[in-house]
Amino acid sequence: MTAAAAAVPDDPEYARIPDTPAKGTVILLNGTSSSGKSSIARALLDTLDGTWFHVPVDAFHSMRGGTPIADEDLQAEIDRTAKGFHRAVAGMAAAGNNLVVDHSLTRRWRLLDLLGLLEPRNTFLVAVRCPLPELERREKARGDRQPGLAALQYGQVHAHGTHDLDVDTSVLSPQECALRIRDLLRRRPSPTAFERFRRTAPVTG
Ligand SMILES: Nc1ncnc2c1ncn2[C@@H]1O[C@H](COP(=O)(O)OP(=O)(O)OP(=O)(O)O)[C@@H](O)[C@H]1O
């Protein structure tokens, strides 16, 4: 609490929830592990006008306490975290915050869930692509990712097809990808991929 707020605790102004004039824009970076999502997100925060948040699903996984999870409970735990992550993202955007979301749409329900939560006109879906041999090279070089994770996700993350933009991080630097995404935002394609999905996919939530 600020000193000013403490000085006038009964002032009704401090009980008024601030207006949020517009919904935030969401850039949804979708790619496998090691495809370069976080690197692009960092470049975007230095490139885009205004204030943006980098919101990686990994940050939510890393908030979990250290109690061991039984193998048979692991998928439910991951699903619950992803579902909560989607709602946290939607809440931040609804309050007017601009977000770079770093996620892997490995299961179709994740896309369907987000379709029901995010404002489709303000959501831009970017496919972060990279050929599998390069993903495997990066995975090995990093040493902090489960070996084989990228290969497991490779055929899944882009299976739904449409995106607003594709970038290939085996030929573009993170900065070059960020500039293409900045151009996409300036063009503001209409309809967006999310708007097109909304017309054809069952919306949940
Ligand atoms: N455009 C690029 N060109 C070359 N190397 C890259 C590029 N983008 C990322 N890398 C390298 O690939 C590795 C993974 O990058 P990054 O952490 O950005 O991927 P990620 O998709 O966020 O991965 P994860 O989901 O596993 O956290 C890093 O070693 C990074 O330096």
Side-chain angles (χ1 to χ4, degrees), residues 181-200:
I181 294 168
R182 188 183 68 181
D183 289 345
L184 170 79
L185 290 193
R186 288 180 176 168
R187 288 199 309 277
R188 286 196 95 83
S190 179
T192 63
F194 258 48
E195 286 176 304
R196 279 177 273 142
F197 281 131
R198 269 278 189 101
R199 286 179 197 154
T200 54

Side-chain angles (χ1 to χ4, degrees), residues 25-153:
T25 298
V26 176
I27 300 169
L28 178 49
L29 301 179
N30 170 38
T32 67
S33 176
S34 297
S35 60
K37 304 179 298 296
S38 305
S39 304
I40 296 172
R42 284 192 292 273
L44 277 169
L45 263 55
D46 292 336
T47 301
L48 297 175
D49 294 332
T51 305
W52 289 78
F53 289 81
H54 173 200
V55 196
V57 69
D58 286 354
F60 280 66
H61 287 298
S62 68
M63 290 180 208
R64 193 182 297 113
T67 310
I69 303 167
D71 285 350
E72 64 270 24
D73 297 334
L74 187 57
Q75 191 58 51
E77 181 74 35
I78 292 170
D79 288 347
R80 192 164 53 242
T81 306
K83 201 170 168 185
F85 172 68
H86 296 168
R87 281 151 184 78
V89 162
M92 282 291 281
N97 298 292
N98 297 318
L99 311 177
V100 181
V101 175
D102 172 341
H103 199 14
S104 300
L105 300 178
T106 45
R107 293 179 180 227
R108 186 159 175 77
W109 76 261
R110 293 184 176 186
L111 174 64
L112 298 176
D113 196 38
L114 285 166
L115 276 178
L117 292 166
L118 298 178
E119 178 65 48
R121 196 162 48 89
N122 293 339
T123 302
F124 297 93
L125 182 58
V126 178
V128 180
R129 298 183 188 272
C130 183
L132 188 54
E134 171 63 7
L135 287 172
E136 288 174 330
R137 189 199 64 74
R138 289 181 191 175
E139 194 172 75
K140 203 168 174 187
R142 296 171 86 186
D144 61 354
R145 289 296 184 272
Q146 178 194 324
L149 182 59
L152 197 68
Q153 298 175 334

